[in-house]
Amino acid sequence: GFLHYVVTDCEFNSSKLNDIEYTESYYYNKLEIIRFSSSVGKFVGYTEVGIKNAESWNNGQEVINRRGEKERYCLNNVGIFTESALTKS
């Protein structure tokens, strides 16, 4: 069989928006094929298929949608993650 999955990640050192990086990585059979990083601001392909998809996605609505995810997804949850970690330590 084939395995396809997506990993979404928020890395942060503080709750300030400029200290947060949002990434969304697409994998196929354990090989990362394409990634969006908020610090780069666009999709980057790592395989032939990933490069083609990155070109297409960077010229469409996909890249515009991902650029807002750092604020929508990460910023809104950083406080929850931090609070949870501090109460358990």
Side-chain angles (χ1 to χ4, degrees), residues 19-48:
D19 290 336
I20 300 171
E21 181 180 17
Y22 170 81
T23 59
E24 185 175 290
S25 298
Y26 292 77
Y27 292 85
Y28 183 74
N29 284 346
K30 300 182 183 179
L31 177 67
E32 186 175 21
I33 58 173
I34 191 169
R35 175 190 299 172
F36 175 85
S37 169
S38 63
S39 62
V40 176
K42 65 178 184 175
F43 289 94
V44 176
Y46 299 108
T47 64
E48 185 178 341

